[in-house]
Amino acid sequence: MRETVRAGTAKSEQTRALILETALGLFRERGYDGTTMRAIAQRAGVSVGNAYYYFASKEHLVQGFYDRMTEEHRALAVEQLADVADLGERVRIVLTTWLDIAEPYREFAATFFKNAADPSSPLSPFSAESKAARDTAIEMHRYVLTGSKLRYDAEIERLLPELLWLHQLGIVLYWAHDKSPHAERSRRLAERTAGVVAKVARISKYKVVRPLVREADSLLREFLISEPDPGSPPPEPARPPEPEHPRRPVHGPASSG
Amino acid sequence: MRETVRAGTAKSEQTRALILETALGLFRERGYDGTTMRAIAQRAGVSVGNAYYYFASKEHLVQGFYDRMTEEHRALAVEQLADVADLGERVRIVLTTWLDIAEPYREFAATFFKNAADPSSPLSPFSAESKAARDTAIEMHRYVLTGSKLRYDAEIERLLPELLWLHQLGIVLYWAHDKSPHAERSRRLAERTAGVVAKVARISKYKVVRPLVREADSLLREFLISEPDPGSPPPEPARPPEPEHPRRPVHGPASSG
């Protein structure tokens, strides 16, 4: 019985991955706006109903792509961060591993970021719908900070990871427009700014700088980040493929873990 | 004789303004990519040759729009800055007067900024082609700084205006996506960040912060701003409508003044 469930889960995961890959291929060919769920289902060889079973909309597909990339990035970065204590070097690693993971998707991502640059779009990294992926990414940056030799007090440790993540988004935006081979310019920018960011982090505890860290964080929360409305029920998540294999719902609020 | 020249100049200026206004109208209606020079000439009631006489390409039209807005903004800001010495207040004025001037063009500008967000586009504020308008805007920010009560040494006075301008571009980007009535959110963001920027400017002379100002400026020059190639001749400017009424060439390098 257990084998059956496992096989079923694996098959579900495969179908889900197939639909996601097919969608990415079509987005690259026809652009995001020019691709329909029907066309995705047709090319993947599944029914339209089945495609919607895994992804409730095209936005969910992009969110799925974003979630998968975030997860791959986290795994690679954590591996390379082991035994590295220097903060500048840690920031450099988290940025360049992202560039490594993202490189195959650069062409698609340029299109995608044109949609995502609008802060009111659900695809924006600042949207309520992106909260789960955003939280994972910010958590990654907290690990970059706390794993370094430097010691911070509680307030800075709480505020800085968001600002480090904001810096990463700047690199991502630059990368989406970068036409240099293998995104060499973005890589150099990441390497150069990693040192600067480490310096900012180092001086952030000084009396003259600390109010600015506080204010930058407050501005980020007031003007860019949208939290899911706590008063309303969470949006209907895409039905998970297997109840036995719980997944974080794509559009749902962050799970408690 | 003098009257004749003046009338001629006025007529040229009128035709130029008519073509520019017509183009902006069509960009709003059909989008930038969907508008041809032929359609602009037709609606303006001038020959295609005449349209090209004033604007060598569609990019020159956007550049013309950008130049005109920069000029209108400068005039309004200088007027409101008179007798204001507080730096935070001065930054607030320069940002909110830009929002005032730009408000009628918000819908068009959102489309336009999708094209302009690409740093390799000639329409980008960082391009070699935008150098003249960029220099005017940076000069405006230098005036904001030097007209305040605060005193800076030569290095900070040289580097800070560019970073103030970069901050303005951030507000412009936010504004291009802002859907709030009368761009209220952008206005509030401008007001809030004006104070933060003034604080950054205030502490930029401290020993711990100064290297960061230096580095931010160096990164801006290496990765974003494109200077016209000094080794090659300047690109052919649009022919000025009247030799007696010299205009800064739209695509040429900055004049010596």
Side-chain angles (χ1 to χ4, degrees), chain B residues 144-238:
Chain B
V144 165
L145 193 72
T146 56
S148 79
K149 282 177 305 205
L150 301 171
R151 286 297 156 256
Y152 296 95
D153 63 34
E155 186 187 19
I156 292 291
E157 209 171 289
R158 180 169 60 79
L159 300 180
L160 263 191
E162 270 170 23
L163 301 179
L164 292 177
W165 169 72
L166 194 64
H167 168 246
Q168 193 200 0
L169 291 185
I171 303 285
V172 170
L173 190 64
Y174 192 87
W175 169 85
H177 288 294
D178 187 357
K179 291 185 182 67
S180 66
H182 311 294
E184 277 156 16
R185 274 181 73 79
S186 302
R187 204 164 280 273
R188 226 170 43 235
L189 179 64
E191 280 162 9
R192 284 278 307 274
T193 58
V196 180
V197 161
K199 275 183 211 153
V200 173
R202 222 165 268 139
I203 67 171
S204 62
K205 58 187 168 189
Y206 286 108
K207 251 204 193 104
V208 293
V209 184
R210 181 181 288 253
L212 291 173
V213 176
R214 231 173 256 148
E215 208 136 9
D217 180 78
S218 144
L219 287 167
L220 181 63
R221 305 202 147 268
E222 182 173 344
F223 289 95
L224 282 176
I225 291 180
S226 304
E227 296 287 341
D229 185 351
S232 65
E236 193 63 42

Side-chain angles (χ1 to χ4, degrees), chain B residues 134-145:
Chain B
R134 178 169 70 237
D135 285 351
T136 305
I138 293 174
E139 215 35 66
M140 178 78 250
H141 286 284
R142 178 159 293 119
Y143 176 66
V144 165
L145 193 72

Side-chain angles (χ1 to χ4, degrees), chain A residues 3-70:
Chain A
E3 284 311 295
T4 319
V5 170
R6 218 184 249 158
T9 304
K11 185 151 191 323
S12 282
E13 280 299 310
Q14 270 173 22
T15 308
R16 192 178 187 279
L18 171 70
I19 295 170
L20 188 54
E21 283 308 321
T22 307
L24 291 178
L26 280 169
F27 290 161
R28 264 196 296 261
E29 274 173 43
R30 309 180 185 178
Y32 177 73
D33 292 330
T35 303
T36 60
M37 279 299 264
R38 180 168 296 276
I40 295 166
Q42 198 163 30
R43 172 143 345 155
V46 302
S47 71
V48 176
N50 206 6
Y52 277 113
Y53 176 88
Y54 288 97
F55 296 97
S57 73
K58 269 202 305 182
E59 273 89 0
H60 286 76
L61 275 160
V62 176
Q63 208 77 51
F65 162 68
Y66 192 49
D67 284 352
R68 193 187 67 182
M69 248 192 69
T70 304

Side-chain angles (χ1 to χ4, degrees), chain A residues 83-133:
Chain A
D83 308 321
V84 177
D86 178 69
L87 181 62
E89 181 61 12
R90 288 177 70 83
V91 173
R92 192 193 65 73
I93 286 171
V94 85
L95 296 174
T96 54
T97 48
W98 191 91
L99 293 172
D100 291 337
I101 294 287
E103 184 58 25
Y105 306 106
R106 190 143 61 114
E107 206 178 333
F108 160 64
T111 321
F112 164 61
F113 276 100
K114 276 190 188 163
N115 289 286
D118 180 352
S120 70
S121 156
L123 300 182
S124 152
F126 303 113
S127 73
E129 290 84 351
S130 297
K131 181 172 168 51

Side-chain angles (χ1 to χ4, degrees), chain B residues 84-105:
Chain B
V84 178
D86 178 70
L87 182 61
E89 181 60 11
R90 288 178 70 83
V91 172
R92 191 193 65 71
I93 286 170
V94 85
L95 296 173
T96 54
T97 48
W98 191 91
L99 293 172
D100 291 337
I101 295 286
E103 184 60 25
Y105 306 106

